[in-house]
Amino acid sequence: MTVLGFTRPSKRLKDSVKQAEDMGFTVMAAPSLEILPGEDSEFLKLESSLSDGCVAVFCSATSVEACQTRFGGDLAGMFSRARVVSIGPATTRKLEAAGLKPDSVPEEFSSYGLVELLQGDVKGVRVILIRSDSGSDVLSDGISAAGADLVDVAVYRLKEVGMSNALLHMLMCLKQGTIDVMAFSSPMSASSFVSAVERQFGKEKGDEYLHNVRIAAIGNPTRLRLTELGFPPDIVPENATFADMLAAIRGAVPE
């Protein structure tokens, strides 16, 4: 069986492990990031920015959850005047469960896909990006370049978990060469893991161990970060979802 290593936000870890095991992988996983609520000022900015004809872009399922936690049953009514855009299917499911049906979803479920979807018709339009405090510049730069009135709202924050027993075990297995593929689901998790490897083993040895495994990235922002770090990924799915990344790994590394 292919041994797959990955780190995920703590609240996503259990479901992600099950998803990977159901696809036939032997899984080695550790928490990478803790998801924290956004500052009060960010939610107030969101409320004050909503206006007739604005475009509200939900950039992750977590952004929907953060807004639900904050606004509860008022969420659907708040966005009644906005064109609601979802980054992909997981986010769409969360929105629909909250009573919000997205008006549009990009063909490519990523920041690049959102830019491609919106760039032709947002000049002079207020576009509200609802996401984390670590969102990719790809989206904000692309929407700004299209002439939009950009409002960037961090409804949740990401904090590195740091070293854990599970992460230490994964690092030892990486050193021993028992991991076949390392998969990364965000630029921040990629940076965090590479830093942990290099702190544990030193840069030269750490880089050597990472170059001995195949690398998967969930999408282009993560691919770019890994490339900057010196580990261009071997596997990048067409759509930037965890399920698509698993499927791409399964296709590239058959049993």
Side-chain angles (χ1 to χ4, degrees), residues 19-31:
Q19 203 173 354
E21 288 178 341
D22 287 347
M23 289 191 69
F25 293 106
T26 297
V27 177
M28 197 164 293

Side-chain angles (χ1 to χ4, degrees), residues 40-93:
D40 286 347
S41 58
E42 293 296 304
F43 289 104
L44 292 172
K45 179 168 67 172
L46 173 58
E47 288 184 274
S48 65
S49 298
L50 290 166
S51 59
D52 290 334
C54 71
V55 178
V57 184
F58 286 88
C59 300
S60 67
T62 307
S63 68
V64 184
E65 293 172 345
C67 288
Q68 274 188 294
T69 299
R70 176 72 178 209
F71 301 115
D74 296 332
L75 187 63
M78 283 178 57
F79 289 89
S80 60
R81 298 180 294 162
R83 172 188 170 189
V84 175
V85 177
S86 164
I87 195 172
T91 305
T92 297
R93 286 193 293 271

Side-chain angles (χ1 to χ4, degrees), residues 62-191:
T62 307
S63 68
V64 184
E65 293 172 345
C67 288
Q68 274 188 294
T69 299
R70 176 72 178 209
F71 301 115
D74 296 332
L75 187 63
M78 283 178 57
F79 289 89
S80 60
R81 298 180 294 162
R83 172 188 170 189
V84 175
V85 177
S86 164
I87 195 172
T91 305
T92 297
R93 286 193 293 271
K94 290 287 184 183
L95 285 167
E96 290 177 343
L100 270 170
K101 184 173 176 59
D103 297 289
S104 49
V105 182
E107 290 186 11
E108 178 186 334
F109 310 141
S110 70
S111 296
Y112 291 91
L114 285 170
V115 172
E116 185 176 354
L117 172 70
L118 296 171
Q119 62 186 353
D121 61 355
V122 293
K123 186 174 182 179
V125 176
R126 175 168 293 171
V127 177
I128 307 168
L129 303 182
I130 304 167
R131 54 182 182 166
S132 79
D133 64 341
S134 306
S136 164
D137 290 340
V138 168
L139 184 52
S140 49
D141 289 350
I143 297 301
S144 294
D149 171 20
L150 179 68
V151 181
D152 211 332
V153 183
V155 295
Y156 64 100
R157 295 170 289 140
L158 297 174
K159 177 184 175 183
E160 289 189 20
V161 171
M163 186 59 70
S164 62
N165 289 336
L167 179 57
L168 182 59
H169 178 62
M170 190 187 301
L171 296 179
M172 293 302 108
C173 290
L174 182 70
K175 177 182 178 180
Q176 293 159 11
T178 55
I179 297 176
D180 300 305
V181 182
M182 278 300 307
F184 297 98
S185 57
S186 73
M188 190 172 176
S189 65
S191 295

Side-chain angles (χ1 to χ4, degrees), residues 23 25 216-217 235-238 242-253:
M23 289 191 69
F25 293 106
I235 304 161
V236 184
E238 194 169 322
F242 190 72
D244 282 300
M245 180 169 63
L246 293 179
I249 296 168
R250 180 80 292 154
V253 190

